[in-house]
Amino acid sequence: MEAQQTSLYERLGGIYVIATAVDDFIDRIMVDDWLNANPRVDEAHHRVSPPGFKYLVTEQVGEASGGPQRYTGRSMEDTHRDLLITEDEWEAFINDFNQTLDKFEVPHQERSELLAIIQSTRDAIVVGPALL
């Protein structure tokens, strides 16, 4: 009899652990000077309620990692289209994400799977070229 595969959601520790990491991550990106140098991103960060933003990202990660949650927000393309996010800003975002994963000592396998989920949204988010 073959062992049943454990979902990423379960290996991460479920929704409470995911929500705790999302809380740290959103706090991190909301004050990231590199991201907020883009006036459209800065304006969005002041327009969007951090608790609501955290809720939607927690839903999204829960669903994407195999949990029972269902993401109820707008598509990544609709949400980010007008922000004109560059490749450099994407890299700053990924750096912030990695800092959160480091803080919570997320193991290599789970880190790789989470980064693959994030990377799968890149083309819907990044619309501008790198500045350098």
Side-chain angles (χ1 to χ4, degrees), residues 1-52:
M1 191 165 167
E2 202 172 302
Q4 192 171 11
Q5 187 83 327
T6 305
S7 71
L8 175 58
Y9 179 84
E10 293 170 307
R11 286 180 281 129
L12 290 171
I15 201 63
Y16 292 107
V17 174
I18 290 169
T20 300
V22 167
D23 183 61
D24 177 81
F25 177 59
I26 299 304
D27 285 348
R28 196 178 298 278
I29 66 171
M30 294 296 265
V31 298
D32 184 307
D33 290 337
W34 187 266
L35 297 177
N36 288 320
N38 175 334
R40 292 168 183 252
V41 170
D42 185 51
E43 187 274 328
H45 283 169
H46 287 90
R47 179 175 25 89
V48 175
S49 154

Side-chain angles (χ1 to χ4, degrees), residues 63-113:
E63 179 175 4
S65 64
Q69 294 73 26
R70 292 297 165 251
Y71 175 62
T72 59
R74 297 184 318 160
S75 74
M76 291 298 95
E77 187 174 17
D78 287 345
T79 302
H80 297 90
R81 177 185 302 123
D82 295 332
L83 300 182
L84 304 179
I85 293 173
T86 66
E87 183 65 38
D88 290 340
E89 291 159 352
W90 175 260
E91 290 304 320
F93 170 84
I94 293 296
N95 183 52
D96 288 336
F97 188 68
N98 277 312
Q99 287 179 45
T100 292
L101 297 180
D102 289 345
K103 177 178 177 177
F104 292 101
E105 300 177 352
V106 176
H108 178 75
Q109 178 64 38
E110 288 74 17
R111 175 185 292 261
S112 295
E113 291 177 49

